[in-house]
Amino acid sequence: MSLLTIFFTLLFYFATATIVIGLAYRIRLYASTPTPLRIPTTPAPISAGGVVRRMFFEVTLFNSLFKSNKWIWLFGWIFHAALLFVLLRHLRYFTDPVWSWVAFIQPLGAYAAFAMVAGLAGLWARRLLVDRVRYISSPSDHFMLALLFGIGLTGLGMKYVAHTDIVALKAFCLGLMYFDWQPMPDDLVLNLHLLLVALLMIVFPFSKLLHAPGVFFSPTRNQIDNPREKRHLPTATSSATKQAG
Amino acid sequence: MAEFDTPTLKPYPEIPSIEIGSMAHSQPYVAKQDIQQKIGFPGELIDDWEQVAIDKMGELVKGSRALRVFLDSCVKCGACTDKCHYYIGTSDPKNMPVARQDLFRSIYRRYYTLAGKYFPGLVGARDMDKGALDEWYSYFHQCSQCRRCSVYCPYGIDTAEISMAAREIMDVVGVGQKYCNEIIGKAQTIGNNLGLPEPALANTLEGLEEDIEDETGVTVRLPLDVKGADILLVTPSADFFAEPHVDGLIGYAKVFHQAGLTWTISSYASEAANFGLFIGSYENMQVLALRIREAALELGVKRIVFGECGHAWRVAYNFMNTLAGPFDFLDSNYPMPQHICEVTYDLLQRNALKMDPSANDDMVLTFHDSCNIARGSRMGDFEGGQFVIPREVIKASCNHFFDMPSDTVREATFCCGGGGGLLTDDLVELRVKGSLPRMEALQQVVDHHGVTHMAAICAICKSQFSKILPYYGFEMDQIVSIHQLVSNAIQLGGEA
Ligand code: HEM
Ligand code: HEM
Ligand code: SF4
Ligand code: SF4
C-alpha cells in the first residue's frame, strides 16, 4: 500500500469517527439539557402538529430567514439546497449497485454544484461587503466558506477539467466501508478535494456547523404554546417540579 | 450624563452604518451593597470574580437548553443585525443582536469549547477580564429583552435569554444594576415595586372610588383584601398612581362593576411586574410568583386576572404555572391566569358591556404591541390572539383606529425603548434613541391618518412613552391605556 493510501485511509476513519461521535455527543447533550421555562417565540403553534409544521418549514424553506432578509435567504437557501443534491449525488460512490433514485438525480446534481458555489459566493460577498456582517465575522467564518468553496471548486475541477478515475475512487470508498482497503488514486485535485472534505468532517462537531442539529433543538421554535393548559416541567427530576406552596 | 441629540425622524426607515463604540459610555448606576445583599447577591465585585463568573456561566449553560443551543448555533449570517431598535437608534454595532450575543459567546468559547481553548483568535474567543466585564455592563444593559431578534433569526436565537444570563452572572459576582435590584427588593418585602404599604394603597383606591363617583354618579368599588371575592386582580403598581396607567385601572373596575363580578386587589401581592425576569433570576422570579399564589389561597379567590403589563403577562402566562403551580385550587372553567383584555373581550362578545364608542371621538387611535405580549405570550385560545383581542377591545371602545406599518406591529413590533429593566433616568439617552423606530412608525400614521393617540397595555411602555414622546415633538399625553378607552366608552348606571 502506498503512503498516500495509508494516509487517506486513516484520515477518513478518523474523520468519520470524529463527526459521528462528536455529533452524537452534542445531540445527547442538547437532548438532556433541561428547559427551565416555556419560551416559544410567539405567535407559536398551539399543538404538536403545528410545531412539526413550523419546524418543517424552518428547515426546508428557512421561513424566518425569508421574513428577515431576502438576499441572505436567496444565497443561503440556494447553497443548502444545492449542497443537499450534491451530497445525495455522491451516494453513488458508496453504493454498489447504485440506488436507482441516486442514479436518477445524477444529471441534476451536476448543476447543483454550480448553484452551490454561486450561493457560497453570494454569502461571502455579503460577509465582505456589508459593514454589519463584516463586523460580526471572525476568521473562522471566512474559513468555513473557504473550505466549502474549495470543496466545490475541486469537485467541479474533476468533473469539467481534470477527470479523475471514478472507478478506482469508488473501489477505495467501498474498501473503506467493508474494511477491504484499496489504493487511493494518485490525483492531485481529487486528493485535495478529499483532504478538504475530511477537514470539514473533523471541524463539523466543534464549529458553527452545529446549527444543523441545533435548529431542531431550539426551544423558541420547537415548544408548543400551551403553558396554561399543560404545566411545563423542566425535566423529570429538576427541583422546580416540586410542588410549590 | 452626557449631552446627546435626539435622532431625527425620517419618512422611510434606514439601516445606519456602524459607528464603533458610540454607546460604550452608556451604563446604568451600579447597585449599592445593601440593595444587592437584600436579594441575595454579593455587595461589591468579589475577589476571584473571574473564576466565579466562568463557573456560573458553565452552570447556567448546563441548566438551559436554550443557552446551549444558541451559543453553538449562530452562523453569523447577519440576518438579525438590522432588527434591534437599539442598533437602529444608536448605530453602535455592539447593539446588533449577534454582536451582543458574541460578548457572551466569545467568553463561553474561551473556557468551554475546544476551538476557543486552543485557537482563540480563529473563533473570536476572549478572556474574562475587567475590559470584558465593563462591556458586558454597558451592552447587556442596552438590551430590552424584547425578542425581536429571535423572530428573525433562522434558529430563533433569543438574545434576551443571553442578556438575562449575563445579568445574572454579573449579579453573582457583585455587579448588579441599581434600578432593577432595588425594585426587586421592594416588591419582595413590601409587595410592590413602589414600596407602597397597605394603608397607602387603601387610601389610593378609596380616592379613585370617589373620583369615579364624582365623574359618573355611580358607586364603583376598588376592593382591597376582600376575602371570598371571585377574582384576584394583580396589576402593575404604576396603575395605582401614574398617568395614563391609573385611568386603565379605573377601566378595569368599571368592567368588573358592570359585569357584576366580585374582585379584589391583594396588598400582599399588589404587584404584577416581576423584575426577576429582567435579571434572569429564576429564584427571584419565583419569590414573586409564590406571593401571588399565597394571596390567591389566602383570599380564597376562584380566578386570577392580570392588568395591563407586558413582561408581567409573559411571566404570568408562560412561567407562573411552572414557578408556582399547579393552580388546581382555582376554577378550572377559566384560564389561569387570565388577562384583563381577555375578560373584557369575552364580556364584549357576550354583549355584557354597554359601550358607546363615540365617547372617544376626540381621538384617532393606533396600538403599540408590547414586546412581551406580542412575542412572549398569547391571549385567547387561538394563535395570534394577543394581536386580535386588544385591537378588538379598542375598536369596541372607539370609532377611529389605524394600525402602524405592518413591519412595526404584531410580532414585528418595535420595543418602546424602555423595556427589560432599562426604564431609569440614568439611561435616558439609550431610551430616547431606542424608541426611534417606534416614533417613525407613529409619525407615519399621524401624517397619513391623523392619528392623535397611541394605546398600549404595558406599564413600562406607558411610562417610557410619557417620557420620550416630547423629545420627538409629540405630547406626553398622547399615550393612553386600553382600559382608559374602555373606561370612557362604558356606560354605567342601570345595571343591578
Ligand atoms: C438541517 C440542516 C441545515 C439547516 C436547516 C441549515 C440552515 C442554515 C441557515 C438558515 C443558515 C443561515 C443562512 C445562510 O447563510 O445560509 C445556514 C448557514 C450556513 N450553513 Fe447551514 N443548515 C443545515 C445544514 C448545513 C450543513 C450540513 C452544512 C455544511 C456542511 C451547512 C453549512 C452552513 C454554512 C457554512 C453556513 C454559513 C454561511 C455563511 O457564512 O454565511 N449547513 N444554515
Ligand atoms: C468522501 C467523500 C467524497 C468523495 C469521495 C468525493 C468525490 C468526488 C468526486 C470523485 C467528484 C468528481 C465527480 C465527477 O467527476 O463526476 C466530486 C465532485 C464534487 N464534490 Fe465530492 N466527494 C466527497 C465529498 C464531498 C462533499 C462533502 C462535498 C460538499 C460539501 C462535495 C462536493 C463536491 C462537488 C460540489 C463536486 C462537483 C460536482 C459533482 O460532481 O457533483 N464532495 N466529488
Ligand atoms: S440571525 Fe441568528 S444565526 Fe444569524 S447572525 Fe443573528 S443570531 Fe446568528
Ligand atoms: S432582545 Fe431586543 S433589545 Fe435585545 S438584542 Fe434582541 S432586538 Fe435588541
Side-chain angles (χ1 to χ4, degrees):
Chain A
M1 252 194 270
S2 70
L3 217 58
L4 187 76
T5 302
I6 298 176
F7 172 74
F8 271 103
T9 303
L10 292 177
L11 180 64
F12 269 96
Y13 282 129
F14 176 70
T16 308
T18 309
I19 190 170
V20 171
I21 298 171
L23 277 183
Y25 172 76
R26 220 61 206 169
I27 288 171
R28 262 195 57 183
L29 207 57
Y30 294 156
S32 64
T33 304
T35 53
L37 295 166
R38 201 51 86 89
I39 56 166
T41 308
T42 56
I46 57 180
S47 68
V51 165
V52 171
R53 198 171 325 117
R54 183 186 207 180
M55 289 307 292
F56 178 79
F57 288 118
E58 283 297 344
V59 170
T60 55
L61 295 180
F62 301 180
N63 227 2
S64 297
L65 187 60
F66 184 76
K67 282 190 270 179
S68 187
N69 187 309
K70 299 291 186 278
W71 285 113
I72 307 179
W73 179 83
L74 185 70
F75 294 135
W77 192 82
I78 289 179
F79 156 61
H80 284 83
L83 174 69
L84 181 67
F85 260 100
V86 166
L87 292 178
L88 292 177
R89 190 173 122 95
H90 275 67
L91 284 176
R92 67 180 169 144
Y93 306 126
F94 302 92
T95 52
D96 192 41
V98 175
W99 298 335
S100 55
W101 63 268
V102 176
F104 180 74
I105 60 162
Q106 291 302 316
L108 255 173
Y111 299 108
F114 289 103
M116 176 179 136
V117 173
L120 284 169
L123 289 171
W124 211 346
R126 277 188 58 84
R127 202 172 280 296
L128 293 167
L129 299 176
V130 178
D131 65 345
R132 287 169 285 125
V133 190
R134 192 165 62 230
Y135 180 85
I136 58 168
S137 301
S138 50
S140 59
D141 300 310
H142 294 285
F143 166 78
M144 209 59 81
L145 288 169
L147 193 59
L148 285 159
F149 213 77
I151 294 175
L153 288 185
T154 48
L156 280 171
M158 281 184 283
K159 185 153 173 60
Y160 294 103
V161 188
H163 295 286
T164 195
D165 184 348
I166 302 273
V167 177
L169 171 78
K170 181 158 181 173
F172 172 81
C173 292
L174 291 170
L176 284 177
M177 288 167 65
Y178 299 109
F179 301 97
D180 169 22
W181 301 297
Q182 303 297 318
M184 160 64 66
D186 184 1
D187 170 340
L188 189 68
V189 185
L190 172 67
N191 294 162
L192 198 57
H193 188 70
L194 296 183
L195 194 68
L196 295 177
V197 168
L199 200 56
L200 181 76
M201 291 164 72
I202 292 167
V203 298
F204 202 106
F206 304 103
S207 67
K208 67 177 188 180
L209 296 182
L210 285 169
H211 69 283
V215 61
F216 297 96
F217 288 94
S218 176
T220 53
R221 289 287 182 268
N222 72 13
Q223 289 184 341
I224 306 170
D225 177 18
N226 63 352
R228 292 194 287 194
E229 292 75 22
K230 191 167 180 302
R231 182 166 181 237
H232 173 82
L233 300 176
T235 51
T237 53
S238 132
S239 62
T241 64
K242 276 191 307 219
Q243 188 155 326
Chain B
M1 211 176 306
E3 294 281 313
F4 65 92
D5 296 323
T6 304
T8 38
L9 299 179
K10 295 170 263 40
Y12 293 100
E14 257 171 44
I15 305 168
S17 303
I18 63 174
E19 284 171 38
I20 293 174
S22 63
M23 284 299 277
H25 61 276
S26 174
Q27 292 192 337
Y29 296 141
V30 177
K32 296 236 169 60
Q33 200 151 4
D34 52 326
I35 293 177
Q36 284 287 96
Q37 286 170 348
K38 195 162 162 189
I39 57 170
F41 297 124
E44 54 184 21
L45 189 62
I46 55 177
D47 298 334
D48 197 25
W49 67 270
E50 296 92 339
Q51 193 54 46
V52 173
I54 294 161
D55 292 346
K56 182 73 188 175
M57 180 182 275
E59 182 194 317
L60 290 176
V61 173
K62 202 166 161 228
S64 162
R65 184 183 299 164
L67 285 179
R68 181 147 257 159
V69 169
F70 295 166
L71 289 171
D72 278 359
S73 297
C74 172
V75 293
K76 311 295 163 77
C77 67
C80 59
T81 53
D82 57 350
K83 300 297 183 277
C84 177
H85 52 288
Y86 290 121
Y87 174 69
I88 298 172
T90 68
S91 310
D92 190 318
K94 291 211 165 75
N95 279 330
M96 301 188 297
V98 41
R100 195 184 318 282
Q101 296 160 26
D102 275 349
L103 292 170
F104 193 100
R105 188 179 285 115
S106 57
I107 290 170
Y108 171 76
R109 286 231 166 114
R110 183 77 183 96
Y111 299 99
Y112 291 101
T113 69
L114 213 65
K117 270 180 200 152
Y118 299 108
F119 313 100
L122 181 68
V123 296
R126 177 178 180 190
D127 287 334
M128 187 77 205
D129 57 22
K130 260 290 185 10
L133 181 66
D134 199 50
E135 284 200 340
W136 274 36
Y137 198 75
S138 288
Y139 293 104
F140 286 121
H141 291 112
Q142 297 186 40
C143 171
S144 57
Q145 306 174 341
C146 76
R147 313 187 94 203
R148 191 170 196 267
C149 45
S150 128
V151 169
Y152 292 103
C153 171
Y155 320 111
I157 295 178
D158 182 5
T159 315
E161 289 292 316
I162 291 174
S163 290
M164 289 172 195
R167 291 189 195 173
E168 184 167 20
I169 292 170
M170 289 190 280
D171 271 326
V172 166
V173 300
V175 187
Q177 184 215 14
K178 174 170 181 265
Y179 171 70
C180 279
N181 291 3
E182 188 168 28
I183 282 180
I184 294 171
K186 274 189 209 155
Q188 285 186 4
T189 46
I190 305 171
N192 57 57
N193 288 359
L194 299 170
L196 213 60
E198 193 269 337
L201 195 55
N203 238 326
T204 308
L205 296 177
E206 255 167 55
L208 292 177
E209 288 175 352
E210 282 162 24
D211 292 349
I212 300 175
E213 184 143 15
D214 288 349
E215 203 181 310
T216 66
V218 178
T219 312
V220 173
R221 300 263 299 121
L222 279 90
L224 183 66
D225 295 327
V226 173
K227 283 201 183 183
D230 279 345
I231 295 176
L232 170 64
L233 175 81
V234 188
T235 204
S237 54
D239 280 4
F240 299 130
F241 80 105
E243 286 290 346
H245 313 57
V246 68
D247 301 310
L249 175 61
I250 291 173
Y252 320 151
K254 290 185 184 174
V255 167
F256 289 137
H257 174 85
Q258 189 159 75
L261 296 164
T262 64
W263 65 290
T264 184
I265 289 166
S266 154
S267 61
Y268 179 69
S270 48
E271 179 62 70
N274 194 328
F275 277 33
L277 174 72
F278 299 153
I279 61 163
S281 169
Y282 190 98
E283 292 74 24
N284 279 299
M285 213 159 36
Q286 193 165 34
V287 171
L288 281 184
L290 285 171
R291 277 182 90 97
I292 296 171
R293 179 192 174 91
E294 287 158 28
L297 280 168
E298 166 74 20
L299 295 168
V301 296
K302 300 200 185 82
R303 304 160 61 179
I304 303 180
V305 171
F306 275 76
E308 297 183 4
C309 183
H311 79 281
W313 181 241
R314 181 176 183 205
V315 175
Y317 174 85
N318 266 307
F319 306 160
M320 272 270 283
N321 208 354
T322 304
L323 293 170
F327 285 87
D328 38 19
F329 58 91
L330 297 173
D331 183 345
S332 60
N333 291 317
Y334 298 95
M336 158 51 220
Q338 208 175 7
H339 194 280
I340 186 70
C341 285
E342 293 179 313
V343 174
T344 304
Y345 176 73
D346 284 347
L347 291 168
L348 286 168
Q349 299 288 93
R350 292 195 277 115
N351 283 322
L353 300 179
K354 265 190 286 173
M355 305 290 280
D356 175 13
S358 68
N360 286 309
D361 273 354
D362 55 332
M363 299 187 222
V364 180
L365 281 138
T366 192
F367 177 58
H368 166 77
D369 288 279
S370 298
C371 316
N372 274 295
I373 292 172
R375 293 184 283 256
S377 59
R378 174 163 56 97
M379 288 180 203
D381 54 7
F382 57 99
E383 199 177 322
Q386 69 270 38
F387 309 128
V388 175
I389 288 175
R391 284 176 173 76
E392 288 305 314
V393 173
I394 295 175
K395 287 179 195 164
S397 311
C398 74
N399 288 316
H400 310 292
F401 174 80
F402 298 95
D403 251 321
M404 287 180 276
S406 63
D407 52 351
T408 70
V409 292
R410 297 169 63 99
E411 71 262 39
T413 188
F414 277 107
C415 173
C416 62
L422 308 180
L423 189 75
T424 165
D425 282 345
D426 32 324
L427 292 174
V428 164
E429 176 181 1
L430 178 76
R431 287 167 54 191
V432 169
K433 291 182 173 174
S435 64
L436 174 69
R438 174 46 79 224
M439 291 297 105
E440 281 178 348
L442 176 61
Q443 186 69 56
Q444 284 210 23
V445 282
V446 168
D447 291 346
H448 292 118
H449 301 292
V451 163
T452 60
H453 290 80
M454 178 162 67
I457 39 172
C458 168
I460 289 178
C461 296
K462 293 174 201 170
S463 301
Q464 158 75 355
F465 286 131
S466 305
K467 173 105 184 174
I468 57 92
L469 279 169
Y471 281 87
Y472 288 94
F474 298 104
E475 302 293 325
M476 66 181 289
D477 59 8
Q478 285 184 277
I479 177 75
V480 297
S481 301
I482 284 195
H483 276 79
Q484 171 179 0
L485 303 172
V486 174
S487 171
N488 294 342
I490 202 166
Q491 302 297 301
L492 294 184
E495 59 272 316

